Amino acid sequence: MATLEIHQFPCLSDNYGVLIHDGEVTAAIDAPDAKAVAAALTAKGWRLTHILTTHHHGDHTAGNLPLKRETGCTIIGPRGEAAKVPGIDTKIGEGESFKLGSHEVRVLDTPGHTAGHVSYWLPQDKTAFVGDTLFAIGCGRVIEGSAEVMWRSLEKLKALPAETAVYCGHEYTLANAKFALTIEPENAALAERAKAVAELRAAGTPTLPTKIGLELDTNPFLRAHVPAIQKRLGLVGKPEWQIFAEIRERKNRS
Ligand SMILES: [Fe+2]
């Protein structure tokens, strides 16, 4: 199996675009902005063959039609919200997989932020593209699902191998770290990471990709099982999705 090349680039106000490349195949993970994706393709000397859409929001799909017109690429996206994904050719969902070049891509349904949101997991490459479901030290807003639905999606991502590199749709890490410290101030790994994140952002450096293992240790949205968090929230022994829901509510208000 050839090595998968991954190129991440900032675009719009706080989105990330990502290109993945193997030989003749180049896929964009979402297409926030056609011009930014085209510029990244030119910079790398790659020709776009696919777009893998995680969810229908405009800051993830605005580039779909212009890029398809320009390149003839195939657009793969979530069956659960296919009608809202511009230019979709191939509808996919949980349990399905496909090949990009020599690389296997597995599809995980991760609804909650939107009703049909999917994540793409490349197990051989130890890499996952999670859109707006999971962020570094955070998670997406629950817009089209319930907190329980979102929690089940996050549980799926929690179960990926710890060494999995995770690419997310946005650079929200600095604000997320500040909020996370209000939920779990005694978490030394989180405090250390918050400091590192502040330094990276001061230097204009991306904090992504992250890793599942790092998120398990420092992301309060994945840590509903932690007694200190349950105690702080006054929810000791409650179902984990309810603890998650309370953390999400507090973040919404922060
Ligand atoms: Fe979104």
Side-chain angles (χ1 to χ4, degrees):
M1 189 179 71
T3 309
L4 187 75
E5 284 186 69
I6 303 179
H7 176 57
Q8 175 182 260
F9 52 96
C11 54
L12 302 179
S13 57
D14 51 31
N15 281 73
Y16 281 117
V18 181
L19 297 175
I20 62 177
H21 175 79
D22 171 23
E24 296 303 304
V25 174
T26 302
I29 311 300
D30 288 329
D33 175 62
K35 280 195 180 137
V37 174
L41 287 161
T42 302
K44 299 301 286 184
W46 295 343
R47 194 180 66 81
L48 190 68
T49 56
H50 298 79
I51 295 172
L52 309 186
T53 297
T54 62
H55 68 295
H56 70 82
H57 285 160
D59 62 327
H60 293 255
T61 58
N64 279 19
L65 291 178
L67 288 165
K68 189 174 179 177
R69 258 196 310 271
E70 211 170 296
T71 65
C73 67
T74 298
I75 299 178
I76 298 172
R79 181 175 294 112
E81 55 191 42
K84 295 178 178 171
V85 176
I88 191 166
D89 297 294
T90 308
K91 301 163 191 172
I92 43 75
E94 180 76 24
E96 293 174 58
S97 62
F98 56 93
K99 279 273 175 98
L100 273 183
S102 56
H103 302 262
E104 184 196 9
V105 182
R106 292 195 202 168
V107 181
L108 306 171
D109 281 348
T110 49
H113 177 69
T114 64
H117 192 298
V118 295
S119 297
Y120 298 97
W121 175 39
L122 285 70
Q124 295 147 323
D125 299 285
K126 300 181 170 60
T127 300
F129 301 96
V130 301
D132 288 357
T133 298
L134 178 66
F135 294 128
I137 326 183
C139 75
R141 279 177 187 270
V142 182
I143 299 174
E144 294 180 9
S146 66
E148 188 169 6
V149 164
M150 185 69 161
W151 172 249
R152 300 291 164 226
S153 296
L154 292 173
E155 280 192 310
K156 255 184 229 179
L157 299 178
K158 279 177 73 165
L160 296 179
E163 69 270 23
T164 306
V166 179
Y167 288 80
C168 316
H170 294 270
E171 177 64 64
Y172 292 154
T173 318
L174 188 58
N176 286 345
K178 285 180 187 154
F179 169 76
L181 283 166
T182 69
I183 300 296
E184 201 181 9
E186 61 283 333
N187 183 335
L190 171 60
E192 195 181 308
R193 188 180 183 195
K195 222 181 282 175
V197 163
E199 281 168 19
L200 286 171
R201 292 315 294 152
T205 307
T207 61
L208 293 163
T210 178
K211 288 212 166 164
I212 289 292
L214 182 58
E215 295 309 313
L216 291 175
D217 289 343
T218 57
N219 186 332
F221 295 95
L222 303 184
R223 294 172 58 77
H225 60 284
V226 173
I229 291 181
Q230 296 188 358
K231 202 169 163 205
R232 178 158 294 101
L233 301 180
L235 295 170
V236 174
K238 294 284 186 200
E240 291 184 0
W241 74 263
Q242 287 181 16
I243 291 151
F244 162 76
E246 174 61 21
I247 299 171
R248 188 58 256 182
E249 273 301 314
R250 289 185 182 212
K251 178 69 168 66
N252 293 348
R253 292 195 301 264
S254 71

